Structures are given as structure tokens and as C-alpha cells.
Amino acid sequence: MISKKCKSEIRRKKHYRIRNRFSGTPQRPRLAVFRSNSHMYAQIIDDTVGKTLVSASTVQKEVKSELEKTNDVAAAAYLGTIIAKRALENGIKQVVFDRGGFIYQGKIQALAEAAREAGLEF
């Protein structure tokens, strides 16, 4: 009998392959996205010093209060605009998008497009 691999393990391996191709620099930090079954998280990271410069998630009170649900496409789009606004306030205009091993569709795509519309370049 052939055993099927766990989806989270497959995603983790994809993420490692993606991370080997690029990393965040001070001039162009990395926008890392993670989604769980109930929430979404986004951080802008400078990998040279290993420091998170900006972060936003649907767990935070000010973000959660604006949303009806925290795990749908509308919540992802709102989170994309929030992370872009916070990045622009800190002087970050260009980032490298790290989808975290997730497929670029649905919530991940909505977050990325909303961040682009709000002013981030990637």
C-alpha cells in the first residue's frame, strides 16, 4: 500500500525550496505569509539580521474588529492593505514575496494583490 504524504509536510518542503532562491535584504525585505485554518499572518523580514520589521495578522484586535470572518478572501485582502500601509509608514516600498509554500490562489493571491494596490512593489 502506498502511503500518502501529509499536506503540511509537502508545504514545508515547498517553502524550503522557495527560501533557497531568495532572502530579504535591507533594501528589499521579504514579505512572508502564513495562513492557518482560522487566521492569516504577514510579516516583512530582513533576513540579514533576522529581524521582523513590520507585521500584521487577523489575530490583532484592530484588524479583527474590522472583519466579519478571519479566514476568508476578504480578510486576506484587508490584511494585504494593512501590511502595505504599515510598510510604507516605515519607508519600505519594495519587497520580495514569500508565499510560504502555499499555492498562489485564493487567500494568498488576494493578500498579494491588495498589497500591490496599496503601494508595495513586488
Side-chain angles (χ1 to χ4, degrees):
M1 186 171 157
I2 299 173
S3 63
K4 190 173 180 182
K5 293 194 176 188
C6 178
K7 284 186 178 184
S8 62
E9 185 62 32
I10 293 169
R11 185 199 65 80
R12 195 173 299 119
K13 285 184 177 182
K14 282 182 190 176
H15 190 210
Y16 288 143
R17 283 197 304 263
I18 291 168
R19 287 284 290 118
N20 282 332
R21 288 188 222 140
F22 58 80
S23 65
T25 63
Q27 296 80 22
R28 195 165 177 190
R30 176 171 58 100
L31 171 60
V33 177
F34 178 77
R35 71 174 174 83
S36 67
N37 287 336
S38 54
H39 292 286
M40 286 197 72
Y41 308 85
Q43 331 178 45
I44 297 181
I45 305 166
D46 179 3
D47 288 318
T48 57
V49 293
K51 185 177 178 185
T52 299
L53 306 172
V54 179
S55 67
S57 71
T58 56
V59 177
Q60 296 171 338
K61 286 184 181 179
E62 61 272 7
V63 177
K64 194 174 187 179
S65 65
E66 298 290 323
L67 300 171
E68 186 176 324
K69 293 173 72 177
T70 59
N71 63 348
D72 59 353
V73 175
Y78 184 71
L79 187 65
T81 58
I82 293 295
I83 194 75
K85 286 178 185 176
R86 291 182 183 176
L88 292 173
E89 287 172 1
N90 287 340
I92 301 168
K93 295 180 183 175
Q94 289 188 333
V95 294
V96 176
F97 187 66
D98 178 10
R99 59 187 174 88
F102 297 103
I103 299 170
Y104 187 80
Q105 69 178 20
K107 298 172 195 171
I108 302 295
Q109 183 178 6
L111 188 142
E113 289 175 356
R116 280 189 191 109
E117 287 175 9
L120 277 183
E121 297 174 15
F122 55 93

